[in-house]
Amino acid sequence: MCGIAAIFGYHDASPRVAEAELASMSRKMIQRGPDGDGSWFSENERVGMAHRRLSIIDPGASSNQPMVCENGKSVISFNGEIYNYRELKRLLEGRGYRFRTDSDTEVLLGLYCEFGEHMFRKLQGMFAICIWDGEKNSMLVARDPYGIKPLYYADDGWTFRAASQVKAIIAASDSHHELEPASLVGFMLLGSVPEPYTIRRNVFALPPGTFCWVSKEGVGDPRSYFSILEALAYDGDRPAITEPELLEKIGESVSRHLVSDVPLSLFLSAGLDSTCLSTFIAQDHADLGVHAMCLGFDEHVNSPQDERPLARQLAEYLGLSYSEMSVNETEFGDEIEPFFQAMDQPTIDGMNVWLISKHAREQGFKVALSGIGGDELFGGYPSFHRVPRAKKVLGWSRFAGNLFSLLTPPLLRVASTFNAHPKSAGVFEYGGTMEKAYFLQRALFLPQELSSILDPGLVRDGLERLRLTALLEGNLVEGGDELEQVSQLESSLYLRNQLLRDADWAGMAHSLEIRTPFVDSTLLTDLMQFKGVVREDKACLYNVMKSRLPKNAVDRAKTGFVVPIKDWQANRFPEVTTDSSDQLWGRRWSKVVLREYLGKESQDLFC
């Protein structure tokens, strides 16, 4: 797990790559790779690549990056882990390749030489890859199917820049500092910046499951090699999944994610997802000595929201070594400043990952497994029953969308007067289609509310650039049943833009790689050959686990992992969080996040 950066002056009149500029990008990502750094420049000085290394597989210096192939024609800078690299290495060895290292990076170089841009479908893992091809005088960039690993890029018409963090790109050039209105609006609507936008204008996220060529003609369009949406829209005849088949597929994914040359840890809560992972690890991989850890808060002691008692009991039952971290309001205050300094893009989440990642690193770990993605894959969120119901009940409202659009502002005022939930005013306008009903379920604010919070001109510009309806529709394709359609939306919006992104930046801020066995395109492909995987309340996963664990370990009511920010923020940010006009903590916290993340840049944003 690492940080990568690349600069390619592709135009004939482009300036040569400045070493200081590339070094600035690399320094911005030092926590992503404290174990080593390297850089490479082409002979004509039009290409530069940098790498920060967190050594996990083949940690010796021979596997440092950027790595140059034996003939000197291709160079790679790669962030991530390829879990099937040993199988791919054997494939290449059978074709006559000889390797100098036991790294997945060298395998990627070999795959590129053998298969070119067709290599990506062969990979099992998480990755952002940048390859310079000297023969083609072109650069190839790619990102894993789910978008677990970020890859951002900017193109000014002369020079292409790419990096693992938005802040690394803007550290390199003065031309990418302007705020993106679509991102500010998108953040206030959804709690995170929706891809492909980033918080900075003209800096974009490479779409997941795509690759892109950069040549003397400029930056090509991203080309898809795998679509999570299409996998979830499988519409053929399928048998119902059986318990042995589900166990086999989950077990294979867990095994893949345990490939490592350093010790492993596991984020263990009282939830079903991490409970499932811990069971597979303890029963099938006890020899690895995976260490479980749990995060708790003083405010939650002796309440149902305290996950530690059950996590402690489960670790003892499974024979896992275990530790836990307890946080109080004072410690939260100590973490606020570094938390916002490390945040790559604004998000209303991430504090829980930040805190448990800090504990994992203090315990000496570089790798942690997480149950992220289980809710999206198996149907664990309330959205899986609320969204189809809203679509069905209010399906007729889509025919009167313009009328309800006009009615929403006065309904908002009525809702405010009677202290009703603010989103209740948008039920008719946003309840008629799957994607709009999903938006209503996930939204922090409705578009009509934003002009009372942010500068009205910025809101108009942002909504026009964001194109909310098109954004939502673009993350849903026809096919699959209604629950699989909700899974499409959850996986491509909430999971990718918030949970996975937060796991990346908050984990890497502590030099910790977070692996997600439920977020795995091979597992998804395997499971979608069957029907009945995505079910309300994760019934499929629940049924397969209930006979393998103590009753209280699987029957605990879902509470979600709650950081008591609601209780803490009022004392620390009274100027924002004591606003009596908005009693929902997430909405108030979003204002805190923008103010703290942007600092002086936020002065003219708010009304």
Side-chain angles (χ1 to χ4, degrees):
M1 186 61 61
C2 312
I4 64 175
I7 305 175
F8 175 21
Y10 59 82
H11 195 278
D12 290 340
S14 299
R16 290 178 170 82
V17 176
E19 290 188 27
E21 181 181 357
L22 190 64
S24 177
M25 296 173 75
S26 179
R27 281 195 303 272
K28 201 68 179 177
M29 301 184 292
I30 189 169
Q31 291 303 116
R32 299 185 71 92
D35 296 338
D37 67 287
S39 59
W40 173 89
F41 297 88
S42 62
E43 290 185 5
N44 65 3
E45 299 180 351
R46 292 292 180 85
V47 184
M49 298 170 70
H51 188 266
R52 306 287 326 191
R53 188 178 185 200
L54 182 64
S55 303
I56 292 171
I57 291 178
D58 192 14
S62 61
S63 295
N64 286 347
Q65 300 180 51
M67 185 179 287
V68 184
C69 68
E70 281 192 335
N71 63 18
K73 296 177 180 178
S74 298
V75 187
I76 187 171
S77 188
F78 150 62
N79 168 32
E81 304 290 356
I82 306 303
Y83 302 127
N84 64 332
Y85 81 97
R86 291 189 178 115
E87 296 94 309
L88 294 171
K89 182 177 182 179
R90 289 192 289 270
L91 168 67
L92 292 171
E93 287 174 335
R95 294 174 178 241
Y97 283 79
R98 295 295 175 262
F99 292 89
R100 308 184 307 273
T101 72
D102 189 34
S103 69
D104 49 358
T105 307
E106 190 179 7
V107 171
L108 289 173
L109 269 179
L111 286 171
Y112 176 72
C113 293
E114 187 71 14
F115 301 105
E117 64 188 33
H118 303 291
M119 65 184 281
F120 301 114
R121 283 201 69 105
K122 299 181 182 297
L123 305 180
Q124 296 176 350
M126 52 182 179
F127 54 85
I129 298 173
C130 180
I131 298 175
W132 171 249
D133 188 321
E135 287 189 326
K136 293 184 176 181
N137 197 38
S138 299
M139 183 173 287
L140 176 64
V141 292
R143 191 175 176 203
D144 68 69
Y146 268 99
I148 304 170
K149 291 294 101 188
L151 186 61
Y152 303 105
Y153 69 92
D155 172 30
D156 60 11
W158 303 78
T159 300
F160 172 82
R161 296 174 175 87
S164 299
Q165 291 183 209
V166 173
K167 286 183 174 179
I169 291 180
I170 65 173
S173 172
D174 293 333
S175 60
H176 303 296
H177 285 214
E178 187 178 351
L179 291 172
E180 169 56 73
S183 299
L184 294 167
V185 166
F187 167 73
M188 295 302 288
L189 293 176
L190 293 166
S192 61
V193 174
E195 293 186 358
Y197 300 101
T198 73
I199 193 63
R200 300 296 171 179
R201 193 188 289 262
N202 297 324
V203 179
F204 299 98
L206 184 70
T210 71
F211 63 87
C212 175
W213 282 101
V214 186
S215 65
K216 63 181 180 180
E217 282 78 30
V219 182
D221 293 331
R223 294 158 59 187
S224 175
Y225 67 88
F226 190 98
S227 170
I228 296 298
L229 299 181
E230 292 177 4
L232 282 161
Y234 188 91
D235 218 12
D237 291 333
R238 295 175 287 174
I241 193 165
T242 65
E243 184 174 304
E245 288 165 334
L246 181 59
L247 287 171
E248 177 187 4
K249 300 308 180 185
I250 295 176
E252 288 173 352
S253 183
V254 171
S255 296
R256 281 194 294 274
H257 286 74
L258 296 175
V259 174
S260 175
D261 290 328
V262 299
L264 300 166
S265 62
L266 166 72
F267 295 162
L268 179 59
S269 69
L272 185 58
D273 302 322
S274 66
T275 295
C276 176
L277 296 183
S278 66
T279 303
F280 276 95
I281 290 170
Q283 294 177 354
D284 299 337
H285 304 280
D287 59 310
L288 294 179
V290 176
H291 178 80
M293 57 188 68
C294 185
L295 174 65
F297 304 94
D298 290 358
E299 284 79 358
H300 290 167
V301 172
N302 298 323
S303 79
Q305 292 179 327
D306 191 356
E307 310 233 327
R308 288 169 294 180
L310 186 53
R312 200 180 305 138
Q313 177 186 341
L314 184 63
E316 182 178 358
Y317 175 83
L318 294 172
L320 295 171
S321 63
Y322 173 82
S323 64
E324 57 190 41
M325 177 186 191
S326 181
V327 180
N328 57 37
E329 184 175 351
T330 299
E331 291 163 325
F332 166 77
D334 293 340
E335 295 296 324
I336 278 292
E337 184 175 349
F339 174 74
F340 282 117
Q341 285 179 346
M343 185 181 287
D344 195 44
Q345 296 197 78
T347 170
I348 62 167
D349 209 346
M351 179 57 79
N352 54 339
V353 184
W354 172 273
L355 293 169
I356 192 64
S357 296
K358 178 183 179 183
H359 176 69
R361 195 56 173 159
E362 289 173 346
Q363 296 293 310
F365 292 99
K366 293 182 178 182
V367 181
L369 277 74
S370 167
I372 288 173
D375 285 310
E376 289 79 3
L377 183 58
F378 295 109
Y381 294 129
S383 59
F384 283 92
H385 55 84
R386 291 177 183 171
V387 170
R389 189 176 305 153
K391 178 196 172 188
K392 181 178 180 180
V393 172
L394 296 168
W396 54 270
S397 69
R398 60 195 171 101
F399 299 111
N402 291 334
L403 172 62
F404 288 121
S405 180
L406 294 173
L407 289 175
T408 299
L411 287 174
L412 281 168
R413 290 192 291 272
V414 172
S416 176
T417 301
F418 289 95
N419 204 28
H421 196 293
K423 289 193 291 185
S424 61
V427 167
F428 296 109
E429 183 178 352
Y430 296 104
T433 66
M434 188 70 76
E435 63 273 13
K436 287 187 175 181
Y438 172 79
F439 168 72
L440 189 64
Q441 170 71 20
R442 281 292 182 191
L444 275 179
F445 295 92
L446 298 179
Q448 294 87 342
E449 295 181 89
L450 295 185
S451 291
S452 65
I453 303 167
L454 300 175
D455 173 76
L458 182 149
V459 172
R460 285 193 299 271
D461 188 16
L463 287 173
E464 182 178 343
R465 293 172 65 83
L466 182 65
R467 299 176 63 235
L468 177 62
T469 298
L471 176 75
L472 295 168
E473 291 174 347
N475 286 284
L476 182 67
V477 299
E478 291 187 4
D481 60 30
E482 287 189 334
L483 296 183
E484 289 165 345
Q485 290 174 359
V486 177
S487 183
Q488 288 183 45
L489 292 162
E490 291 287 14
S491 298
S492 57
L493 291 168
Y494 181 59
L495 176 65
R496 186 205 319 159
N497 293 333
Q498 190 153 312
L499 298 184
L500 292 176
R501 187 185 300 161
D502 290 345
D504 177 79
W505 74 261
M508 294 309 296
H510 297 287
S511 305
L512 183 78
E513 171 183 296
I514 297 177
R515 298 182 178 182
T516 53
F518 290 126
V519 185
D520 182 277
S521 59
T522 302
L523 175 65
L524 178 66
T525 301
D526 288 345
L527 291 183
M528 287 302 107
Q529 298 175 43
F530 304 95
K531 62 182 178 182
V533 173
V534 185
R535 296 172 61 187
E536 287 187 24
D537 300 320
K538 292 193 282 198
C540 181
L541 187 61
Y542 170 82
N543 289 336
V544 83
M545 295 304 297
K546 65 182 180 180
S547 63
R548 288 168 170 77
L549 290 169
K551 182 176 174 59
N552 64 335
V554 292
D555 283 347
R556 178 182 184 268
K558 182 178 179 61
T559 61
F561 191 84
V562 180
V563 179
I565 290 177
K566 176 182 178 181
D567 303 318
W568 294 340
Q569 63 177 336
N571 294 333
R572 189 167 183 86
F573 306 104
E575 71 282 3
V576 174
T577 57
T578 56
D579 181 2
S580 60
S581 66
D582 202 338
Q583 297 303 314
L584 300 176
W585 80 267
R587 290 157 62 97
R588 288 180 281 145
W589 181 242
S590 67
K591 301 171 191 177
V592 172
V593 169
L594 267 193
R595 290 179 187 273
E596 294 297 309
Y597 175 85
L598 293 174
K600 293 181 179 179
E601 288 184 280
S602 70
Q603 290 178 353
D604 298 325
L605 295 183
F606 293 93
C607 294

